[in-house]
Amino acid sequence: MQRFYPVLIWIVIGLAGCTHLAFQPMQEHVFDPASADIKAEDQWIKTADGIALHGWWLPRQGEEKGTILFLHGNAENISTHIGSVWWLPKYGYNVLLIDYRGYGRSEGQPDLPGLQLDMAASLEWLFNRRDIDTNRIVIFGQSLGAATAITGLVDSPYRSRIRALIIEGAFTSYRELTRELLGKSWLTWPFQWPLSLTIDDRYRPIDSIRKLDDIPLLIIHSRTDEIIPYHHGEELYLAAKGNKQFWPIDNARHIATFGDEGQRQRLLTYLRELLNKKRE
């Protein structure tokens, strides 16, 4: 049985979707938006270190309500994660979905410092557009994308111009989450501490979220999240300061909240009320 231990360990870490050792990119697109009458325009964004990122721009329908930068979770690519945001354009929201380096058609190989550059380049691309209202930009990150958004915003030159940060299925620390997942099985339990110490934990969302007290924050987490335990969402909410909300979700899988029409309408109400207010 011992020969299976390394495989089990990396499977568990891979489920976390949270370390440069366990990224799960998919290059092939498995869904074509056009097949579902979703307008998705190919976009290419160059990062500060010269990587070409591929993304989709979903243009709004009708009057512009705002623009969403969507940062997806660890596995696969935008062709599968589009399911979380495809519905927003019909309500007046532009959406930019990007694939991190090494994901989908984007160049390079994924790592945590690189993800910070990917987010920074995407924000710069948005704020340089002349055909959108750059005073109404919101970031929506799920799981790994939530962690990237939290840490990437702290030193962003666009921080003061972001109207809200929405995070779903986020975690407090790469290292802590790895340790928890390894501790779930008797096979990997003995390795939880030594192996978790090898995980890059320079980008700890729990540390960064305390510094984002000037940005309205919405934290969404399912009580039945099978990947990121619910307490991570609670701890992030308690650590956050300023204008914050926490939405506990019942009976939803990891980052699957907006498969429900009721939750979609709830988010639209949140966005409408937030964006119609004057900046504080």
Side-chain angles (χ1 to χ4, degrees), residues 64-79:
E64 180 180 9
K65 303 292 180 59
T67 297
I68 311 294
L69 170 60
F70 178 65
L71 303 174
H72 64 68
N74 177 59
E76 302 171 353
N77 58 46
I78 56 174
S79 73

Side-chain angles (χ1 to χ4, degrees), residues 6 22 82 96 98 117 137 144 149 154 176 207 219 234 262 268:
I82 193 175
L96 172 64
I98 64 157
L117 295 176
I137 291 178
L144 176 65
V154 172
E176 176 67 15
D207 295 335
I219 299 176
E234 291 184 310
L268 290 170

